[in-house]
Amino acid sequence: MTSTTDIVAKLWGLCNVLRDDGVTYNEYVTELTCLLFLKMLEETGRENRLPDGYRWGILAKKEGMAQLDYYKAMLLDLGKAKDGLVSAIFVDAQTRLRKPTNLKALTSNIDHLDWFSAREEGLGKMYEGLLEKNASDKKSGAGQYFTPRPLIDAIVRLMQPQPGETVQDPAAGTAGFLVAADRYIKDHTDDLYKLPEAQAFFQRHNAFVGAELVPDTHRLCMMNLLLHGIEGGVDNIDALSPDGEALSKANLILTNPPFGSKKGGGRPTRSDFSVTADTSNKQLAFVEHIVRALKAGGRAAVVLPDNVLFEDNTGRRLRTWLMDLCNLHTVLRLPTGIFYAQGVKTNVLFFQRGKTDKANTKAVWVYDMRANMPAFGKTRPLTVADFAEFEIAYGTDPNGGAERKEQGEEGRWKRFSRDAIAASNDNLDIAWLRDTEAEAEEALTEPEDIAAAIIGHLRAALEEIEALSEEIEPDSANELPALAEAAE
């Protein structure tokens, strides 16, 4: 029996065949998604979702230009299909293939995979493996849409999604958080069989909602949801636009918003935004969306870069507002090197929406998983075991209500009162252990890891420059072009 890892390796190996056709790594996975969707419908007996005349068997048997022409027509028409999921996966899909021999190589190799083993281990597991392979390959550039699985799984275990809850990810990427939340619920309900029929239907069709802005990433997201038995739920929209206001209110939000500023310096266009309406910082705007999208008593776990914790002006106003409206009970300082952007320093904020809008945060517990940690990267990947001590310290209550015990000045786990945080201008970038980041980076050996660390430092410097430029008064900013003209 072939393992999922072997199947993924074979699929990934096919990208070498396509490079001479000008197909990039990321385009290859998108191309492969369209073909795998057709093949998987055949394997699972669900080809009735496709319009008449379009079947994998017909495509696979054709040869030469006839096959390529049929495939192009197929993509165009499936994008207009009446089945909402089919049209979502194929909307605006175009093949990057120009040589008929390369399409034939793909269809033939896909046909010869061990589909019995793939079904036995789970088609969703196979597809997740392919997405992970794509994200870990620096050449693909796909890592920005991929949160490490051990981190996702640790967060989901702590937040304990329950049947009947609406779970949202406003920056869904390839749906890692939503799929993990679904898996957690299925593991605790015997694959939903313990639930009443109506509740099981809700889990498959309505429990998971979200947004993904990038069309090709949205395509991968929809495919991943489908293969895990989730029918749609994620829209191809910008959560920071008016479309985001229409997303269902959530009991639980799990997300890793994109880093950086809104392109072209644009501001969010949400009429309901009051705190972040004047900033182009996407992470700050996503935090406002999350707080507003939570139901009273709803909970959230959000991956955010360090600048959200210490940035002044809008950043400070947002943190004060967040701690008023929500109980921000836990901050996890993540180690460097676990993301595609190696040097970017990140955290997970855990909070619960209050039932009132004042003084919901009494204290914040901080766990420092960054200081005195190994140099994470290609040679030392993040694992589930790395989160074991934090999960014990966090406790069994998803809202941080379990009994907690500080670990002292030399420990990783400390409590900070709301008054103490206010005294430091609501700065949440709290560290007390000696920072050994420089020593950890000196231990990096892989050229990819070293280069990524350098890029991360440059990005952090650029973010600080962008934050500084936003603090310049508009009048001062308007004077700059006039000064330039005078200099000429």
Side-chain angles (χ1 to χ4, degrees), residues 338-411:
I338 65 172
F339 284 99
Y340 169 73
Q342 169 91 22
V344 174
K345 297 176 182 176
T346 53
N347 314 267
V348 185
L349 272 59
F350 297 85
F351 52 90
Q352 182 183 25
R353 185 74 152 87
K355 294 183 179 177
T356 65
D357 290 348
K358 283 293 178 186
N360 276 287
T361 299
K362 308 300 182 187
V364 179
W365 286 78
V366 180
Y367 190 94
D368 191 339
M369 194 177 160
R370 188 178 302 169
N372 309 315
M373 291 296 285
F376 289 98
K378 192 172 182 179
T379 54
R380 171 61 170 90
L382 191 70
T383 67
V384 172
D386 291 315
F387 292 96
E389 290 184 14
F390 168 64
E391 290 185 49
I392 292 170
Y394 187 100
T396 56
D397 182 351
N399 293 311
E403 185 177 351
R404 293 173 165 183
K405 186 176 180 182
E406 288 191 274
Q407 297 177 357
E409 290 300 316
E410 300 302 314

Side-chain angles (χ1 to χ4, degrees), residues 195-203 206:
L195 301 179
E197 188 176 335
Q199 200 168 24
F201 181 89
F202 172 83
Q203 291 304 130
N206 306 113

Side-chain angles (χ1 to χ4, degrees), residues 211-435:
E212 172 49 46
L213 175 62
V214 181
D216 277 348
T217 306
H218 179 254
R219 204 184 314 280
L220 307 185
C221 172
M222 298 301 284
M223 178 75 162
N224 202 16
L225 292 172
L226 171 72
L227 294 178
H228 287 89
I230 304 168
E231 289 283 333
V234 175
D235 297 322
N236 184 198
I237 59 172
D238 180 358
L240 303 183
S241 75
D243 292 332
E245 294 180 54
L247 287 173
S248 302
K249 294 279 186 180
N251 303 94
L252 172 60
I253 295 180
L254 305 167
T255 190
N256 177 9
F259 299 167
S261 299
K262 205 160 175 63
K263 288 183 180 177
R267 271 53 174 164
T269 53
R270 291 271 294 267
S271 62
D272 60 334
F273 278 13
S274 58
V275 187
T276 62
D278 295 325
T279 182
S280 62
N281 185 310
K282 287 191 290 190
Q283 301 96 51
L284 298 181
F286 267 106
V287 173
E288 181 163 4
H289 163 82
I290 291 160
V291 173
R292 294 190 182 283
L294 281 174
K295 295 179 180 180
R299 60 202 187 282
V302 190
V303 181
L304 294 164
D306 273 15
N307 71 286
V308 174
L309 274 59
F310 64 73
E311 191 173 303
D312 209 353
N313 299 322
T314 302
R316 181 185 175 186
R317 287 196 301 274
L318 180 75
R319 293 190 299 274
T320 304
W321 178 78
L322 168 67
M323 287 186 280
D324 268 346
L325 269 66
C326 302
N327 174 22
L328 174 63
H329 52 81
T330 309
V331 174
L332 168 63
R333 292 169 61 84
L334 290 168
T336 57
I338 65 172
F339 284 99
Y340 169 73
Q342 169 91 22
V344 174
K345 297 176 182 176
T346 53
N347 314 267
V348 185
L349 272 59
F350 297 85
F351 52 90
Q352 182 183 25
R353 185 74 152 87
K355 294 183 179 177
T356 65
D357 290 348
K358 283 293 178 186
N360 276 287
T361 299
K362 308 300 182 187
V364 179
W365 286 78
V366 180
Y367 190 94
D368 191 339
M369 194 177 160
R370 188 178 302 169
N372 309 315
M373 291 296 285
F376 289 98
K378 192 172 182 179
T379 54
R380 171 61 170 90
L382 191 70
T383 67
V384 172
D386 291 315
F387 292 96
E389 290 184 14
F390 168 64
E391 290 185 49
I392 292 170
Y394 187 100
T396 56
D397 182 351
N399 293 311
E403 185 177 351
R404 293 173 165 183
K405 186 176 180 182
E406 288 191 274
Q407 297 177 357
E409 290 300 316
E410 300 302 314
R412 297 187 181 276
W413 189 226
K414 287 191 73 174
R415 178 186 184 275
F416 297 87
S417 71
R418 181 69 186 89
D419 289 342
I421 293 168
S424 62
N425 296 320
D426 284 345
N427 187 328
L428 293 169
D429 187 27
I430 303 169
W432 60 95
L433 297 174
R434 190 171 73 89
D435 189 0

Side-chain angles (χ1 to χ4, degrees), residues 8-191:
V8 169
K10 286 178 181 177
L11 286 170
W12 188 248
L14 291 175
C15 68
N16 295 320
V17 176
L18 305 183
R19 278 188 294 182
D20 66 340
D21 212 354
V23 179
T24 67
Y25 285 85
N26 219 28
E27 288 172 341
Y28 164 66
V29 174
T30 302
E31 192 89 53
L32 196 58
T33 293
C34 294
L35 291 168
L36 284 174
F37 178 79
L38 298 170
K39 177 61 177 173
M40 288 173 180
L41 287 187
E42 180 190 67
E43 290 293 322
T44 55
R46 290 187 284 174
E47 286 188 296
N48 60 334
R49 300 189 73 152
L50 300 173
D52 291 339
Y54 291 124
R55 296 292 184 271
W56 171 263
I58 301 173
L59 173 67
K61 287 176 184 175
K62 289 185 179 290
E63 303 281 346
M65 281 305 300
Q67 186 186 44
L68 187 55
D69 289 342
Y70 176 83
Y71 181 47
K72 287 178 179 177
M74 197 177 195
L75 293 179
L76 186 65
D77 287 348
L78 292 182
K80 305 170 190 172
K82 291 180 180 178
D83 186 299
L85 187 60
V86 173
S87 62
I89 288 176
F90 286 94
V91 66
D92 295 330
Q94 293 180 336
T95 180
R96 273 75 169 179
L97 300 173
R98 292 173 292 178
K99 298 177 182 177
T101 52
N102 285 331
L103 177 58
K104 194 64 185 177
L106 282 177
T107 56
S108 297
N109 279 278
I110 288 172
D111 250 344
H112 288 98
L113 290 175
D114 184 352
W115 284 97
F116 174 79
S117 297
R119 287 196 305 274
E120 286 295 299
E121 289 206 35
L123 297 176
K125 186 177 179 182
M126 183 197 79
Y127 191 69
E128 276 191 284
L130 185 66
L131 294 176
E132 190 163 9
K133 184 75 174 172
N134 189 37
S136 64
D137 193 298
K138 298 294 191 292
K139 300 184 194 74
S140 77
Q144 61 182 311
Y145 304 116
F146 196 90
T147 308
R149 294 292 176 226
L151 173 59
I152 287 177
D153 290 340
I155 289 172
V156 169
R157 281 195 299 274
L158 292 173
M159 300 308 281
Q160 301 172 33
Q162 298 297 310
E165 291 188 322
T166 299
V167 183
Q168 183 193 124
D169 185 345
T174 54
F177 272 115
L178 298 181
V179 164
D182 173 68
R183 185 184 300 121
Y184 180 92
I185 292 170
K186 284 175 176 171
D187 286 347
H188 289 78
T189 59
D190 187 24
D191 278 336

